Amino acid sequence: MNYNELNDEEKYVIENKGTEYPFTGKYNDFYEEGIFTCKKCDAQLYKSEDKFKSGCGWPSFDDEIQGAVKRVPDRDGRRVEIVCASCGGHLGHVFEGERLTSKDTRHCVNSISLNFEAKA
C-alpha cells in the first residue's frame, strides 16, 4: 500500500506514537462540515457532526466512522490508544465515562494525524 509522505513532526506522532502540544493543532477549534481523514493513508475516520468542544486542547469526537478506528491497550497500561484501522497510524486516545456528551465517549485526537475534506 502507498502511504502519504510525512514530515518529521508527523512521523513523530503518527508512527512513533507521540503527542502534539495541547491547543496547538489546527483542528482543535475547527468546526466546518465534512470528513476527517487519516493523514498517512487518507482513510475516512470521523464525521464533523461527531466533533465537539471538550476544552482538552485536542480535537474531540464522540464517535468514529464504523470500522475506521481500532482501540488498543496503550503502552502505559492505563489508557486506550486509538489507531487508524487501515494503516495503524497513531491518532490519540479514547476516554469513556467523562459524561461530556450523550455517547459518553471522547476520542482525543492529534490534529497532526488528520486531514479534512470539506463537504461539497
Side-chain angles (χ1 to χ4, degrees):
M1 179 178 250
N2 289 335
Y3 294 124
N4 297 320
E5 193 168 322
L6 303 175
N7 66 33
D8 289 343
E9 189 180 9
E10 293 164 346
K11 285 179 186 174
Y12 168 72
V13 173
I14 298 167
E15 295 180 347
N16 299 320
K17 302 184 187 305
T19 301
E20 67 192 1
Y21 287 103
F23 303 102
T24 62
K26 68 180 177 179
Y27 297 124
N28 182 45
D29 284 321
F30 180 91
Y31 296 96
E32 291 182 24
E33 282 188 64
I35 299 287
F36 291 87
T37 62
C38 176
K39 184 165 279 179
K40 184 173 179 178
C41 76
D42 297 323
Q44 293 188 344
L45 301 172
Y46 299 100
K47 296 177 186 173
S48 59
E49 61 255 31
D50 295 317
K51 188 172 188 300
F52 68 97
K53 189 171 187 75
S54 69
C56 72
W58 292 274
S60 297
F61 302 86
D62 67 358
D63 208 351
E64 72 268 18
I65 292 173
Q66 189 171 356
V69 176
K70 192 169 134 186
R71 297 175 182 214
V72 293
D74 193 86
R75 294 182 289 205
D76 68 13
R78 294 174 291 136
R79 298 177 297 171
V80 177
E81 179 189 6
I82 46 177
V83 299
C84 172
S86 179
C87 71
H90 177 73
L91 301 172
H93 292 87
V94 65
F95 302 93
E96 294 177 323
E98 298 175 320
R99 298 184 179 159
L100 296 173
T101 71
S102 62
K103 294 180 184 172
D104 206 17
T105 299
R106 175 172 59 96
H107 287 240
C108 184
V109 182
N110 291 286
S111 287
I112 204 167
S113 298
L114 301 171
N115 280 325
F116 182 76
E117 295 174 1
K119 186 175 181 179

